[in-house]
């Protein structure tokens, strides 16, 4: 008697989960966007309270400010994230996964376009301080650092899972990704260059794009694209 095939139902559940997660994140991101655009008073108050509390602490702790500036300007800078993605794309191309490489590039470019488009459309001012500990330019919403980190690490984790990363590598990458995504958001808040809702919006828009992109690639493969690579 032939053994039951369990793989298809698992893949179906995975696709449904990704689509659902992406949709939920998108709806939440749009909700935050609308609340920021209309300057919803409770959210504006929360943003200001968090910003004031963190700024008072930052002014009193120049050493910690220096550490945060190194992390945000070097370790978690959007250009650092893009460099990581460029390495991943080169590896994919070298391995012959050229459609996937282009898909990853397209997702990253789309994330940048969405981010910059939203900044231009919303035109939100960044926090202003009489005694700033750092500076940043252009509009505030959403946080480019937070969104770029979410998209980059989300795609990298997907690629590691897709190519059968071992448990040690997978869990190490997952911890690094979580620390980096959360950490970069906290540095932007601590340095007083973003509001809490900017960072939250960046995380949500980034998560939505990653989930919907992965779901889209799964649909492409299901409709005749290249087969998923086997784990080594």
């Amino acid at each position: 008697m032939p053994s039951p095939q369990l793989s298809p139902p698992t893949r179906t559940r995975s696709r449904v989960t990704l689509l659902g997660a992406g949709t939920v994140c998108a709806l939440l991101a749009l909700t935050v966007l609308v609340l920021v655009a209309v300057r919803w008073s409770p959210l504006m108050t929360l943003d200001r309270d968090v910003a004031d509390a963190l700024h008072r602490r930052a002014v009193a702790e120049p050493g910690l400010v220096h550490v945060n500036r190194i992390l945000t300007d070097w370790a978690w800078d959007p250009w650092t994230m893009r460099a990581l993605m460029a390495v991943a794309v080169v590896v994919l191309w070298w391995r012959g996964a050229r459609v996937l490489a282009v898909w990853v590039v397209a997702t990253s470019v789309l994330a940048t376009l969405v981010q910059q488009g939203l900044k231009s459309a919303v035109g939100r001012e960044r926090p202003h301080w009489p005694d700033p500990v750092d500076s940043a330019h252009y509009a505030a919403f959403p946080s480019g650092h937070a969104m770029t980190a979410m998209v980059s690490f989300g795609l990298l984790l997907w690629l590691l899972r897709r190519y059968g990363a071992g448990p040690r590598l997978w869990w190490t990458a997952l911890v690094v990704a979580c620390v980096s995504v959360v950490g970069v958001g906290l540095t932007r808040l601590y340095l007083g260059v973003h509001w809490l809702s900017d960072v939250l919006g960046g995380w949500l828009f980034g998560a939505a794009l990653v989930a919907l992109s992965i779901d889209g690639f799964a649909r492409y493969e299901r409709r005749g694209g290249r087969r998923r690579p086997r784990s080594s």
Side-chain angles (χ1 to χ4, degrees):
M1 182 177 180
S3 58
Q5 298 182 3
L6 300 179
S7 296
T10 301
R11 289 196 298 269
T12 300
R13 285 197 297 271
S14 177
R15 287 195 297 268
V16 171
T17 300
L18 278 172
L19 180 60
T23 302
V24 169
C25 287
L27 291 174
L28 290 174
L30 290 172
T31 300
V32 175
L33 169 62
V34 170
L35 294 179
V36 168
V38 301
R39 300 189 59 80
W40 189 51
S41 179
L43 182 60
M44 299 299 102
T45 300
L46 176 62
D47 278 346
R48 173 52 67 182
D49 289 346
V50 171
D52 286 344
L54 289 175
H55 183 67
R56 286 195 299 270
R57 183 169 180 177
V59 169
E61 298 175 332
L64 193 54
V65 167
H66 183 65
V67 171
N68 276 267
R69 292 188 68 173
I70 292 175
L71 289 172
T72 197
D73 291 340
W74 295 97
W76 298 325
D77 183 77
W79 285 107
T80 304
M81 299 297 102
R82 291 173 186 133
L84 287 175
M85 295 310 302
V87 171
V89 167
V90 169
V91 171
L92 289 172
W93 194 271
W94 178 74
R95 293 184 59 142
R98 296 184 177 181
V99 174
L100 180 56
V102 172
W103 194 279
V104 170
V105 170
T107 302
S108 299
V109 170
L110 177 61
T112 300
L113 293 175
V114 169
Q115 172 205 132
Q116 295 300 311
L118 288 172
K119 283 179 176 291
S120 178
V122 177
R124 189 183 197 188
E125 291 189 358
R126 293 176 184 267
H128 293 289
W129 309 104
D131 51 352
V133 299
D134 199 1
S135 63
H137 307 288
Y138 201 36
F141 185 90
S143 166
H145 281 68
M147 187 169 174
T148 303
M150 177 65 80
V151 170
S152 299
F153 279 108
L155 291 174
L156 289 172
L157 288 175
W158 171 47
L159 294 175
L160 286 175
R161 175 68 78 181
R162 182 180 176 85
Y163 281 92
R168 182 175 298 179
L169 176 58
W170 168 253
W171 285 107
T172 300
L174 183 61
V175 170
V176 170
C178 291
V179 170
S180 299
V181 171
V182 173
V184 73
L186 294 179
T187 64
R188 305 308 284 167
L189 294 174
Y190 188 80
L191 294 172
V193 293
H194 272 297
W195 306 104
L196 176 61
S197 53
D198 300 337
V199 172
L200 180 59
W203 284 336
L204 288 171
F205 275 110
L209 279 171
V210 169
L212 295 175
S213 175
I214 296 173
D215 178 76
F217 194 79
R219 292 172 185 272
Y220 159 77
E221 288 187 310
R222 191 167 72 251
R223 293 174 182 173
R226 293 185 179 183
R227 291 185 178 180
R228 177 174 178 166
R230 295 181 180 180
S231 302
S232 55

